[in-house]
Amino acid sequence: MKNSLWGNIFKRKNNSEEDILSTLRQVPLFANMTDGELREFEKLIHQRQFKAGETIFWEGEPGVGMYIIQRGAVTICKHSRNEVRETLVVLHDGEFFGELALLDESPRSASAIAEAPSQIIGLFRPDLFGLLERKPRLGNKFLFQLALIIGERLKQTNSEIQNLRAQLDRSDVIV
């Protein structure tokens, strides 16, 4: 016979909650956070399933938040004028995209399409701003990590541009 008085003390966490926490632990944006801090973000997270081929967001639409892949695969791509899809990258479990939308609402620079059935979690700008009001230290900790990651990506992009320029300088192509 089950004793309801003691039942809740030993109750295991909901698998969905534990999945979200373990996913957040994989993401560099949350790398230096305690379990308590991660639980604050867990309250803000929105979960959604996407079918293979389903669009998560379109290039050009206003950005509202970032996404983290719990399970699945997402293609980040550009569409040319003749509607040819150019794949920029394919992301997998634990990887994130769309993070610049947390800082501003400028149009998306690429589209995101589920490559396979995917479980995606989203963190949206209004929720982050609410956290910044309620728990400014935690919000600032997150924003500092975001700034570091964006800075690293910018350095990598600059390096790739320099390499491309060097290749052009060595080639006979006139630009």
Side-chain angles (χ1 to χ4, degrees):
M1 184 171 181
K2 191 173 183 180
N3 184 339
S4 63
L5 178 63
W6 293 99
N8 286 339
I9 293 173
F10 300 108
K11 182 179 177 187
R12 296 194 66 129
K13 283 190 176 188
N14 177 331
N15 283 343
S16 176
E17 288 175 17
E18 193 53 45
D19 281 352
I20 291 172
L21 289 176
S22 67
T23 299
L24 293 179
R25 285 182 189 105
Q26 293 177 49
V27 178
L29 286 168
F30 302 97
N32 299 322
M33 296 200 182
T34 66
D35 285 351
E37 290 170 333
L38 289 174
R39 283 190 186 86
E40 288 297 323
F41 278 95
E42 179 186 35
K43 295 174 190 175
L44 308 177
I45 296 295
H46 302 270
Q47 288 186 290
R48 173 129 188 253
Q49 301 268 350
F50 288 89
K51 297 175 187 168
E54 190 174 355
T55 300
I56 299 165
F57 58 74
W58 290 102
E59 178 179 354
E61 72 183 29
V64 293
M66 68 168 280
Y67 300 88
I68 302 166
I69 304 168
Q70 266 188 295
R71 280 180 285 292
V74 173
T75 296
I76 306 299
C77 60
K78 304 274 291 173
H79 289 89
S80 66
R81 290 183 186 162
N82 56 0
E83 290 305 308
V84 174
R85 186 173 110 173
E86 177 190 350
T87 298
L88 302 176
V89 67
V90 178
L91 304 171
H92 299 92
D93 299 7
E95 295 184 295
F96 63 97
F97 56 97
E99 67 279 359
L100 287 178
L102 294 174
L103 302 176
D104 69 17
E105 296 172 339
S106 45
R108 298 283 188 183
S109 61
S111 296
I113 300 169
E115 200 58 34
S118 300
Q119 175 78 29
I120 306 292
I121 57 178
L123 173 62
F124 300 107
R125 193 168 194 250
D127 296 325
L128 178 60
F129 280 31
L131 178 72
L132 280 163
E133 287 179 21
R134 287 188 323 279
K135 300 199 177 246
R137 290 184 73 169
L138 178 56
N140 285 325
K141 185 176 183 177
F142 175 83
L143 289 175
F144 184 74
Q145 279 299 115
L146 179 60
L148 289 174
I149 288 169
I150 290 171
E152 280 303 312
R153 288 182 175 178
L154 181 58
K155 287 179 205 174
Q156 184 178 1
T157 300
N158 286 340
S159 177
E160 289 174 14
I161 289 171
Q162 286 177 331
N163 290 338
L164 288 171
R165 282 188 177 155
Q167 287 175 8
L168 279 174
D169 288 345
R170 289 190 303 266
S171 72
D172 293 334
V173 177
I174 299 174
V175 180

